[in-house]
Amino acid sequence: MTLVLLFGLHSCEFNNERQEYAEMLIEKVETFKKENNRLPKDVSELGLTEKMDSPSFYQIQTDSTYMVWYGLSVGESKVYRSSTKKWTEEG
């Protein structure tokens, strides 16, 4: 029982770190958009590096919309869409 509880707490901390990184990423994208009147092509324009194991990911959808997401578990993600300014769980 203790191991299950510890694993659950670690998983929550990991998801909180991903959420915090994703929110920081959204702030950086919005600031870039205001300053440059366009969306960044990728996170390198924000001074960040995106890797396979990045806490969250950024993707342009149209010239004026984007999404940021991170994995919750296998096949499930938490997704932010700039068009709605809302988070959803998808999977």
Side-chain angles (χ1 to χ4, degrees), residues 4-68:
V4 171
L5 181 60
L6 288 175
F7 180 75
L9 289 173
H10 176 71
S11 180
C12 288
E13 280 182 32
F14 189 64
N15 283 339
N16 285 340
E17 288 175 19
R18 288 175 176 232
Q19 179 73 30
E20 288 174 13
Y21 185 88
E23 289 171 3
M24 177 273 303
L25 183 54
I26 292 165
E27 285 179 34
K28 285 187 174 283
V29 170
E30 291 296 329
T31 299
F32 183 96
K33 185 178 175 181
K34 286 178 188 173
E35 293 174 354
N36 298 283
N37 207 26
R38 68 174 178 85
L39 291 172
K41 294 175 187 164
D42 55 42
V43 296
S44 67
E45 288 192 280
L46 303 173
L48 302 171
T49 304
E50 191 170 87
K51 301 176 186 173
M52 293 281 291
D53 62 347
S54 290
S56 60
F57 302 92
Y58 163 80
Q59 179 180 347
I60 292 177
Q61 292 184 298
T62 68
D63 287 343
S64 61
T65 63
Y66 65 92
M67 60 189 255
V68 171

Side-chain angles (χ1 to χ4, degrees), residues 70-83:
Y70 62 92
L72 294 172
S73 61
V74 176
E76 291 186 26
S77 298
K78 194 161 184 183
V79 180
Y80 173 86
R81 297 184 189 282
S82 65
S83 58

